Amino acid sequence: MSEKKKVLLHISNLKQYFPIGKKQIGKEQLFVKANDGISLDIYEGETFGLVGESGCGKSTFGRTLLQLYRQTAGRSIYYGRDVDEIAPKYVADIFENLPEKKQKCEEARKKAASLRAEWEKMPEGTPKNIELQRLNEAETLAQNELLDITSLIGGLYVADNLKEISQVYVSEYRATLNRKKLNDQITQANAEISNKRSALKEKGKSSAEINGAVKPMEDKLAQLKSQVQQEERRIQEEAAKIQAFKKQNKSKKDFDVYEQYLDDGINLANLTDAEMRFLRRDLQLIFQDPYSSLNPRMTVGQIIGEGLQAHHLYKKGDGKMQDYIMEVMEKCGLASYFIHRYPHQFSGGQRQRIGIARALTVNPKFVVCDEAVSALDVSIQSQIINLLLDLKEQNHLTYLFISHDLSVIKYISDRIGVMYLGNMVELCETAELFERPCHPYTEALLSAIPTTDVEHKKEAIVLEGDIPSPIKPPRGCKFNTRCRHCTEICKEVEPPFEEVAPGHFVACHHKLNVPK
């Protein structure tokens, strides 16, 4: 399934650490390691389920992915838009400092290579196992430095004169940035024209009077579109120069290797607050609590319409906005006459529908459903889940569905990831996970699902031992303090997250149910 689908989000080694208190001289700074090196792909149009015990970092991962919490480390690449469409500042920083960035990257790669050479010479034992974690961190850092550059310039990384190449890329970037600003002005101008037409129509003006009133605005819009075409011609000219540089360097060693790293995705981790705010339209969140997530002083119409105004899709007072809000409400199972009511006048299920309508009103591409049904009755849960599935088909949405209820996850998800203490321990398609769990923790979770089937009832696996602290987790596999299959290697070496079958990834030294 995954091979045929387009990747929407590529997450690599995502970390989210929260500092405990202020850093003091002479004392070690402690962190709560909520997410500790998560890597996965989320495909366009799928529902990716995320399960695990309370406190394992599921909700933190969802919020970090949306950059509501700024991630501590790692790369989160979003493919819903091209990097040229946003023209982020981190791209300008790389283009302006290409020679310095390459030098820093080469130093990191040399350090990683040196550490690996030292590690390979070490005798087997605990010191070597401890040093492996340091080596992995150094290699990950070096790889990220390389990808930050090569994802933008590809094979030109091998060029000798990066200063000249840098100037061309900077010129192209500036033209791209100007085009983005002009497109933003066009979007705003269209909204103003629409608002003006609606206001005049309500006043009973004729078509000729309306057209005359908006003509200056439309003339300005035409000028903006002409300026966009000029910037596009500049971009094409600079792109031709870049292609010329690539022809000159094509015969150099490793050119083709680095050229494969070219990537038009947007690294969410490097965006400024303003740039991330622009992408909020694409990346939305349905909150866990349908009570405290709605402003009690605002009507339903104001709550749902707030995002439309924030993203300049409609102007305040535009008659078309109210019609659109009522249309979205009806899609989400809310009667249109509820538009002037306040949140306290609704039941829990209705409030959750308001939260869903608020998220979907800006036509997002990706939605994080953070325990979206856990606070609701079972009968209401089924209604909300079916609503989410219907809306997904209608609006071509992609979901990250976070829950600790495996029965709900099984029903709604295409693939499932299992988290334990900040790490992803297993990931595969839904049917595969329930038929053939390969991680002992997944096996224990599945055995705990209540069932009325007496003949096929599984014996519950009780996890003994204490849950480790996310501040100072155990060395090696974090599950070793509670695992009945634990051996000495589990206490020393962190298991790699590796593929045991097509699309089935597990992080365990003693995998269960693995086909031979």
Side-chain angles (χ1 to χ4, degrees):
M1 180 190 78
S2 60
E3 291 179 2
K4 298 177 182 178
K5 289 202 169 186
K6 178 189 172 186
V7 174
L8 182 67
L9 282 157
H10 172 69
I11 300 104
S12 175
N13 199 43
L14 181 145
K15 294 184 180 182
Q16 181 58 63
Y17 293 174
F18 297 104
I20 299 175
K22 293 182 179 179
K23 188 173 182 179
Q24 297 179 2
I25 297 171
K27 288 188 177 181
E28 180 189 359
Q29 174 69 65
L30 298 177
F31 296 89
V32 175
K33 299 178 180 179
N35 299 138
D36 197 11
I38 297 175
S39 298
L40 62 102
D41 289 337
I42 297 176
Y43 298 97
E44 203 172 77
E46 79 168 345
T47 300
F48 185 88
L50 195 59
V51 296
E53 293 171 301
S54 295
C56 71
K58 304 185 301 295
S59 294
T60 300
F61 174 70
R63 288 167 181 256
T64 302
L65 195 53
L66 300 182
Q67 304 304 311
L68 295 174
Y69 302 143
R70 283 297 184 178
Q71 65 191 69
T72 307
R75 290 164 57 83
S76 299
I77 310 299
Y78 172 60
Y79 293 101
R81 294 177 187 260
D82 291 344
V83 70
D84 290 343
E85 195 175 343
I86 305 297
K89 288 183 179 177
Y90 78 84
V91 173
D93 179 54
I94 291 171
F95 287 157
E96 289 168 1
N97 303 285
L98 267 181
E100 295 83 358
K101 293 285 183 183
K102 181 179 178 179
Q103 183 181 352
K104 184 182 175 184
C105 176
E106 288 302 310
E107 287 171 359
R109 295 176 78 186
K110 284 177 185 176
K111 182 181 176 182
S114 174
L115 285 173
R116 175 158 288 281
E118 291 174 12
W119 179 81
E120 288 174 349
K121 292 175 185 176
M122 293 174 72
E124 296 296 328
T126 301
K128 185 173 185 178
N129 294 333
I130 294 172
E131 190 65 19
L132 179 61
Q133 184 174 355
R134 186 174 159 223
L135 170 62
N136 288 337
E137 288 176 357
E139 288 183 336
T140 300
L141 178 64
Q143 182 67 7
N144 286 345
E145 294 275 2
L146 178 66
L147 289 174
D148 283 345
I149 302 171
T150 54
S151 63
L152 296 173
I153 69 171
L156 288 178
Y157 183 83
V158 301
D160 298 322
N161 187 5
L162 277 179
K163 216 163 193 177
E164 189 181 354
I165 292 169
S166 172
Q167 292 170 358
V168 176
Y169 271 111
V170 168
S171 179
E172 183 193 40
Y173 170 82
R174 286 173 181 161
T176 303
L177 182 62
N178 289 339
R179 182 181 64 180
K180 177 195 174 293
K181 289 177 179 177
L182 289 166
N183 282 329
D184 290 345
Q185 290 177 40
I186 287 171
T187 301
Q188 195 167 352
N190 279 323
E192 288 173 356
I193 290 170
S194 175
N195 189 32
K196 186 81 172 175
R197 284 185 176 278
S198 297
L200 293 172
K201 194 173 182 181
E202 286 179 6
K203 290 179 180 179
K205 301 292 182 180
S206 66
S207 297
E209 288 174 318
I210 293 172
N211 290 335
V214 300
K215 190 176 187 306
M217 300 168 75
E218 288 180 337
D219 290 343
K220 183 183 175 183
L221 182 63
Q223 287 177 6
L224 290 171
K225 288 180 178 178
S226 174
Q227 290 173 32
V228 167
Q229 291 175 354
Q230 290 175 18
E231 295 299 336
E232 284 177 347
R233 284 194 290 272
R234 274 185 62 197
I235 292 167
Q236 289 171 4
E237 289 170 6
E238 300 303 329
K241 293 177 185 176
I242 290 167
Q243 290 303 317
F245 280 126
K246 289 195 174 186
K247 284 181 181 178
Q248 292 172 17
N249 291 276
K250 189 169 178 62
S251 59
K252 290 190 175 180
K253 184 185 175 184
D254 292 334
F255 176 91
D256 292 331
V257 174
Y258 295 134
E259 189 70 8
Q260 291 175 2
Y261 293 158
L262 266 178
D263 194 341
D264 60 0
I266 301 163
N267 190 353
L268 301 179
N270 291 341
L271 296 182
T272 64
D273 290 341
E275 289 163 353
M276 196 61 227
R277 195 176 296 116
F278 177 80
L279 283 181
R280 293 270 177 245
R281 180 177 172 182
D282 289 3
L283 310 167
Q284 284 288 311
L285 173 66
I286 299 171
F287 292 93
Q288 178 175 352
D289 187 354
Y291 296 89
S292 62
S293 63
L294 302 178
N295 190 332
R297 295 178 180 273
M298 296 173 72
T299 65
V300 172
Q302 291 169 335
I303 289 169
I304 296 174
E306 192 175 16
L308 296 171
Q309 293 178 43
H311 291 285
H312 308 293
L313 299 176
Y314 289 96
K315 285 284 185 181
K316 190 174 181 179
D318 190 342
K320 289 183 179 178
M321 184 172 80
Q322 183 166 313
D323 294 339
Y324 177 68
I325 290 170
M326 285 169 30
E327 181 187 333
V328 172
M329 286 175 65
E330 287 175 359
K331 278 185 182 177
C332 295
L334 294 164
S336 58
Y337 60 82
F338 289 165
I339 193 167
H340 298 301
R341 293 188 182 179
Y342 288 87
H344 72 271
Q345 297 174 285
F346 295 92
S347 66
Q350 288 174 320
R351 290 187 194 200
Q352 195 61 287
R353 289 172 186 268
I354 295 168
I356 293 169
R358 174 176 59 186
L360 300 187
T361 192
V362 291
N363 290 321
K365 297 176 183 177
F366 177 68
V367 181
V368 174
C369 305
D370 183 13
E371 301 271 12
V373 296
S374 63
L376 306 175
D377 294 335
V378 175
S379 58
I380 305 300
Q381 280 186 13
S382 62
Q383 293 176 19
I384 297 298
I385 289 167
N386 288 328
L387 171 64
L388 288 170
L389 290 171
D390 291 342
L391 292 170
K392 175 189 168 185
E393 294 301 319
Q394 291 170 20
N395 300 329
H396 310 290
L397 298 170
T398 303
Y399 291 143
L400 171 62
F401 194 89
I402 299 169
S403 180
H404 56 259
D405 189 333
L406 280 160
S407 300
V408 171
I409 285 284
K410 183 180 181 181
Y411 180 73
I412 198 171
S413 303
D414 300 308
R415 291 189 304 145
I416 298 175
V418 181
M419 279 186 67
Y420 181 79
L421 209 65
N423 288 95
M424 194 74 69
V425 295
E426 187 161 5
L427 189 159
C428 63
E429 292 187 15
T430 303
E432 173 86 358
L433 187 83
F434 281 83
E435 288 173 11
R436 196 162 56 88
C438 293
H439 197 282
Y441 177 62
T442 310
E443 182 188 46
L445 283 182
L446 295 179
S447 73
I449 300 175
T451 178
T452 55
D453 190 346
V454 180
E455 294 181 3
H456 298 92
K457 189 174 181 180
K458 294 180 181 179
E459 183 180 348
I461 299 170
V462 180
L463 295 176
E464 299 179 353
D466 297 328
I467 300 174
S469 167
I471 300 170
K472 288 189 175 180
R475 191 166 69 241
C477 176
K478 292 182 180 178
F479 189 57
N480 74 65
T481 58
R482 305 172 72 194
C483 182
R484 58 180 179 169
H485 303 283
C486 176
T487 59
E488 197 60 34
I489 190 174
C490 303
K491 298 176 182 179
E492 297 288 343
V493 181
E494 184 179 350
F497 193 57
E498 56 191 2
E499 194 170 19
V500 296
H504 194 155
F505 297 85
V506 185
C508 184
H509 292 299
H510 306 292
K511 302 172 185 68
L512 312 173
N513 305 316
V514 177
K516 296 180 180 179

